Amino acid sequence: MDVFLRAGRSLPLLLDGLAVTAAICVLAVALALAGAVAIVAVRRAGPRWLALAAACFVALMRGLPIVVLVFLLYFGLPAALGLGRVSAFWVGVGALALNGAAFMSEVLRGAIARLPAGQGDAARALGLLPWQVWRRVLVPQLLPVALPALAGEIGFIVKASPVLSLITVVDLTRRAQQVTMQTFDPLAPLLAAALLYFLLIGAVALASRWLEQRLLPEGRT
Amino acid sequence: MSDLLARYHGVILDGLLTTIALVGAGFLVGIALGALLAVPLSASAALPRALARAYVEVIRNTPFLIQAMLLFALFGVLRIRIEPAAVGAAAVAIYTAAYMAEILRGALHSIPTGQYDAARALGLPRHVRALRVIAPQLMPFVLPAGVNLLATVTKESAFLSAVSVAELTYSGQVVIAQTFRVFEVWAIVGLLYLALVLAVLGLAQRLERRLRWVVSTG
């Protein structure tokens, strides 16, 4: 009985944390996708120095742990620039987005490289404008190819999101710790948090599979 | 920055070595566990396969920080007192095993069944079939994926600073608490991780090139 009573009091806290974690992930994923497209565009068609800078950025993001990136941006940069307090939430979202953008840009580059040769040339020969070539011909072909890997990267963003709990953001991980302190139960709140993360990442995988089915050319007829 | 390094290089070096040691040990144990796990994962018996699959999915779909916190809490509940770095290495092993098992399952799946049949038809004993026929063919698949996993695990290990493991990120926090040189310390720590990860990835590229040569000429 006591167990259920405590669970009844703790669950709203955990669900509140889940909502914060979900918001963090939705914002970070949206920004990461936009960033990834920008990185790919710059590396394909930007000026040389910018393309090189983008390549360096991707290498940096691949080698830097997300924990250190977040500490660098939240503690280090404001100290170096003499800024006051910065928003932990937005710095955290930004760090996840920067990191995600780098990895997603590699996925997109890979998918573009695997497009059948001549698709772009053929579309141009038909007189399509550059944006039409991408919108009507190339993107519909590369999206189903890139989607599973992109979903994997989204999963990685969700799995990296507890890093925000290290800079005072009250997300699902931090809520689980709070409930542990209130209830003196070291295991149950963490297990509940683990389950909620599992469901969140599972939902991403399911959504990706559903979208993949819809995007495949056969599914459209 | 040079005065910082002159005074605190010992602390940072200790952290770096702890990171290398716990990731190295945890990764090696994780590979072994992953290989053991890959057997039921690709077997036809339903129950062992379901159990192995459940383990792999739970680990791959939950954050490493939560796993590490749970492991520390578990050791606390069971009143097992061992060094935090050892618990951290165990967390790395548990994590590595799940990903490694999945990599190996994919690799085993990619080998044509004719290879097994041919090896058996030649009358090769079981361990020779596994070690000299199947294992070499797994390598071109397993090696790049495994090295990527090692790079990922190295980066994830920074989360262990949050559960009081005195690794590289933790030693960065120690130095900052004494010097308040926030930006410089995180830049140094970041560069060390970067060097570590790039070294791992670079080694992989060289190994891969060698391997491709061996496979194509052997």
Side-chain angles (χ1 to χ4, degrees):
Chain A
M1 196 61 217
D2 195 36
V3 174
F4 290 110
L5 221 81
R6 276 194 316 206
R9 250 177 291 154
S10 306
L11 199 60
L13 281 177
L14 288 177
L15 290 179
D16 183 69
L18 178 66
V20 173
T21 285
I24 290 166
C25 294
V26 168
L27 288 167
V29 166
L31 290 171
L33 277 171
V37 171
I39 291 171
V40 171
V42 160
R43 288 186 77 172
R44 285 179 66 87
R48 256 184 83 107
W49 65 271
L50 205 57
L52 195 68
C56 287
F57 170 77
V58 171
L60 187 68
M61 287 299 123
R62 286 175 55 153
L64 213 56
I66 188 72
V67 176
V68 175
L69 178 66
V70 164
F71 286 174
L72 198 58
L73 293 181
Y74 182 68
F75 297 118
L77 218 52
L81 301 177
L83 302 175
R85 277 181 60 85
V86 289
S87 157
F89 180 88
W90 285 107
V91 170
V93 166
L96 287 177
L98 288 175
N99 196 63
F103 282 91
M104 286 180 175
S105 80
E106 290 294 280
V107 170
L108 292 181
R109 267 163 45 94
I112 290 171
R114 272 162 57 194
L115 281 174
Q119 288 286 326
D121 295 335
R124 266 185 294 277
L126 286 171
L128 295 183
L129 298 170
W131 71 269
Q132 287 176 318
V133 172
W134 283 99
R135 169 75 189 78
R136 299 275 167 201
V137 179
L138 299 183
V139 171
Q141 293 186 64
L142 67 85
L143 219 47
V145 177
L147 204 62
L150 280 181
E153 295 302 336
I154 294 174
F156 270 107
I157 289 180
V158 178
K159 280 183 273 179
S161 71
V163 71
L164 273 81
S165 73
L166 305 182
I167 54 168
T168 73
V169 175
V170 186
D171 70 339
L172 180 52
T173 301
R174 182 50 85 89
R175 281 290 189 209
Q177 287 176 303
Q178 287 178 347
V179 172
T180 286
M181 305 229 195
Q182 284 175 9
T183 59
F184 301 105
D185 186 341
L187 286 177
L190 279 173
L191 283 171
L195 178 67
L196 291 174
Y197 276 112
F198 186 87
L199 293 176
L200 194 59
I201 296 166
V204 171
L206 281 180
S208 147
R209 223 162 293 158
W210 176 79
L211 204 62
E212 203 185 333
Q213 287 299 316
R214 291 198 42 148
L215 285 174
L216 285 173
E218 293 88 348
R220 237 184 298 166
T221 53
Chain B
M1 197 177 260
S2 57
D3 61 307
L4 202 65
L5 283 177
R7 269 198 75 177
Y8 292 99
H9 66 272
V11 182
I12 292 178
L13 207 63
D14 272 354
L16 179 65
L17 290 178
T18 303
T19 287
I20 293 173
L22 80 82
V23 168
F27 191 73
L28 285 179
V29 174
I31 290 178
L33 290 176
L36 289 179
L37 209 58
V39 176
L41 205 58
S42 27
S44 47
L47 184 67
R49 194 178 62 215
L51 288 175
R53 172 55 54 197
Y55 172 81
V56 169
E57 292 304 324
V58 165
I59 296 299
R60 295 204 319 156
N61 290 301
T62 50
F64 179 67
L65 178 59
I66 296 280
Q67 294 164 16
M69 285 174 163
L70 268 171
L71 198 62
F72 273 85
L74 196 66
F75 275 90
V77 168
L78 299 176
R79 297 183 188 286
I80 299 173
R81 291 203 152 272
I82 56 171
E83 214 160 306
V87 186
V92 167
I94 288 169
Y95 182 91
T96 302
Y99 285 83
M100 203 49 172
E102 188 65 6
I103 292 171
L104 285 171
R105 188 197 60 80
L108 285 169
H109 197 72
S110 75
I111 291 181
T113 46
Q115 293 288 330
Y116 297 93
D117 298 339
R120 208 165 302 147
L122 285 171
L124 298 176
R126 203 183 156 89
H127 67 278
V128 175
R129 292 202 303 261
L131 289 178
R132 318 259 357 211
V133 179
I134 302 305
Q137 298 187 65
L138 295 177
M139 279 303 139
F141 191 93
V142 170
L143 203 69
V147 168
N148 269 328
L149 179 59
L150 178 56
T152 305
V153 167
T154 305
K155 287 184 283 176
E156 293 276 34
S157 74
F159 273 111
L160 293 172
S161 64
V163 283
S164 74
V165 178
E167 43 69 82
L168 181 52
T169 305
Y170 187 89
S171 65
Q173 289 168 333
V174 169
V175 176
I176 286 170
Q178 291 174 16
T179 62
F180 301 105
R181 303 269 285 274
V182 187
F183 182 79
E184 287 154 285
V185 171
W186 288 130
I188 292 169
V189 168
L191 284 175
L192 287 173
Y193 275 110
L194 201 64
L196 213 55
V197 172
L198 291 183
V200 167
L201 294 176
L203 194 71
Q205 255 166 13
R206 284 184 54 179
L207 270 173
E208 241 175 286
R209 221 171 298 146
R210 260 184 76 111
L211 213 76
R212 205 169 300 146
W213 184 80
V214 170
V215 169
S216 63
T217 57

